[in-house]
Amino acid sequence: MMTSSADISSILNRILDTAADNLRIAKILVQMGLDPNNITYDALFNRLLEIFLANITLANLFAVVGAFFFVATLLMQTMVPLRVANMIGCALFAIYGLLSGNTSTFLLYLLLVPINGVRLRQMLKLVKKARHATQGDMSMEWLKPFMTERKYRRGDTLFKIHDPANEMFLTVTGKFLVKEINIEIPPGRLMGELGFLTPNNQRTGTVECIEDGQVLTITYERLLEIYFQDPQFGYYFLVLASQRLLENISRLQDQLKAERATTTNRIA
C-alpha cells in the first residue's frame, strides 16, 4: 500500500512539475502563495485546504446551499417543485448577498423570490380549480387568465368539420350552434376541445354563431405549455373533455328517443 501511494504521489508530482513550466499556471501558483519551482502534490493540496478553510463563512455556506437548489431545478421535470426549489435558492442567495455586503446580489435574488412565488401561486390555483371542476363544478373560469377575447356576429362560422384545429373556445355571451348534431352552446361552455384530443387535430363538427357573442380562446400550444408545467392539469383537462363528450352523447340519445317517440305517435 505504501509503495502504491508513493507511486501515485510521484506521478502527480511529475504532472505538477510539467504544468508549472507553463507561465500562466506559474502565475496562478504564485497568486495562491506557492513556489512554481518547488511545487508538490502535498503542497498544493495543503494550500487548497487552507484556502477552503479560510473561506468557510456563514455567507458562503448560504451560497453553497443555494447553488445546490439551483442545480436541483435543472433536474426537475415539472414546474411546481421547480418553482419551490428556485424560491429557496433565491432566498439563500439573497441572504448570502446581505451577509457578504453585496447589495446588487441581495436585491437581485430578493426580487426573484416574490416573482417565483406569484408564478407558483398561479399554478397551484390553476390545479386546484381544475381539480374542483372535475368534482362537479364545470366552470372554466380558471382558464380565463390564459385566454384572449374574440367577438363573433350572427352568421359567422367559427370553424368547420375536418378543418385543422389549433385552438379551443370558451363562450362568454351569445349562442352558438353545432350544425351536425343541432345542439346550441350557451355561455360558459367549451367548444373545440375535442380537436385537441384527436390524432390529427381536426375539427369534429361545424360551429356557427346564431346570436352575437363573445368568446375566449386559448391555443393548443398554450394548453400544452400548461400541461408540461404541471402534468396534473392534463389529467383534469382530459376528465373535463370526457364529461363534455358524454354530455353531447346524452343529448343525442335524448334527441333520438324524442324523434322515435314522435315517429311512433305518427304511425299510431
Side-chain angles (χ1 to χ4, degrees):
M1 290 293 295
M2 293 295 293
T3 303
S4 177
S5 299
D7 290 341
I8 294 175
S9 180
S10 176
I11 292 171
L12 290 172
N13 287 337
R14 267 192 229 168
I15 294 173
L16 290 172
D17 288 338
T18 303
D21 292 336
N22 188 306
L23 183 60
R24 293 181 180 177
I25 294 179
K27 287 183 178 179
I28 295 174
L29 293 173
V30 171
Q31 291 175 352
M32 292 174 59
L34 297 170
D35 183 3
N37 298 319
N38 186 25
I39 182 68
T40 64
Y41 169 73
D42 291 336
L44 178 61
F45 176 78
N46 291 332
R47 182 54 183 160
L48 290 175
L49 182 60
E50 290 177 7
I51 295 173
F52 175 76
L53 293 175
N55 285 277
I56 294 181
T57 63
L58 185 59
N60 288 338
L61 285 176
F62 276 105
V64 170
V65 178
F68 277 117
F69 276 97
F70 272 108
V71 172
T73 62
L74 301 176
L75 306 176
M76 295 177 179
Q77 298 180 351
T78 55
M79 189 59 66
V80 171
L82 186 150
R83 290 288 183 187
V84 173
N86 198 274
M87 283 180 63
I88 296 173
C90 288
L92 292 171
F93 271 110
I95 295 173
Y96 159 75
L98 179 65
L99 295 177
S100 63
N102 192 326
T103 305
S104 58
T105 299
F106 170 70
L107 293 177
L108 172 62
Y109 288 102
L110 185 65
L111 179 62
L112 290 175
V113 171
I115 292 175
N116 280 283
V118 170
R119 297 298 295 165
L120 175 63
R121 183 176 179 275
Q122 289 176 343
M123 186 53 57
L124 291 175
K125 188 176 180 182
L126 173 67
V127 174
K128 181 179 179 181
K129 289 187 175 181
R131 184 183 294 113
H132 183 59
T134 62
Q135 294 172 351
D137 180 7
M138 299 300 290
S139 171
M140 299 295 290
E141 294 290 324
W142 47 279
L143 263 183
K144 285 186 177 180
F146 303 92
M147 307 180 86
T148 56
E149 180 183 333
R150 191 178 299 167
K151 293 182 179 179
Y152 288 97
R153 294 185 177 276
R154 182 178 179 181
D156 290 344
T157 299
L158 280 70
F159 51 81
K160 296 180 180 180
I161 190 170
H162 302 314
D163 281 350
N166 59 8
E167 61 183 352
M168 183 178 73
F169 302 80
L170 174 64
T171 60
V172 179
T173 60
K175 292 183 181 178
F176 303 85
L177 177 69
V178 183
K179 299 183 70 173
E180 285 75 15
I181 55 179
N182 196 34
I183 290 179
E184 288 188 10
I185 302 176
R189 305 301 292 271
L190 281 179
M191 298 187 298
E193 76 277 16
L194 294 181
F196 180 62
L197 303 174
T198 57
N200 298 321
N201 291 127
Q202 290 185 342
R203 296 299 184 190
T204 58
T206 302
V207 174
E208 181 180 306
C209 178
I210 58 175
E211 181 182 295
D212 292 0
Q214 173 189 348
V215 301
L216 295 174
T217 67
I218 183 170
T219 64
Y220 294 162
E221 184 178 354
R222 187 71 179 99
L223 285 174
L224 284 174
E225 289 178 7
I226 298 174
Y227 164 72
F228 285 118
Q229 288 176 3
D230 196 312
Q232 284 184 324
F233 166 79
Y235 167 73
Y236 298 133
F237 178 81
L238 183 60
V239 172
L240 289 171
S242 299
Q243 289 176 336
R244 301 291 187 189
L245 183 59
L246 291 173
E247 285 181 1
N248 289 340
I249 293 174
S250 178
R251 289 195 192 98
L252 285 174
Q253 290 175 340
D254 291 341
Q255 286 182 2
L256 287 173
K257 288 179 181 178
E259 289 176 2
R260 287 173 183 173
T262 301
T263 302
T264 302
N265 292 332
R266 286 177 180 175
I267 294 175

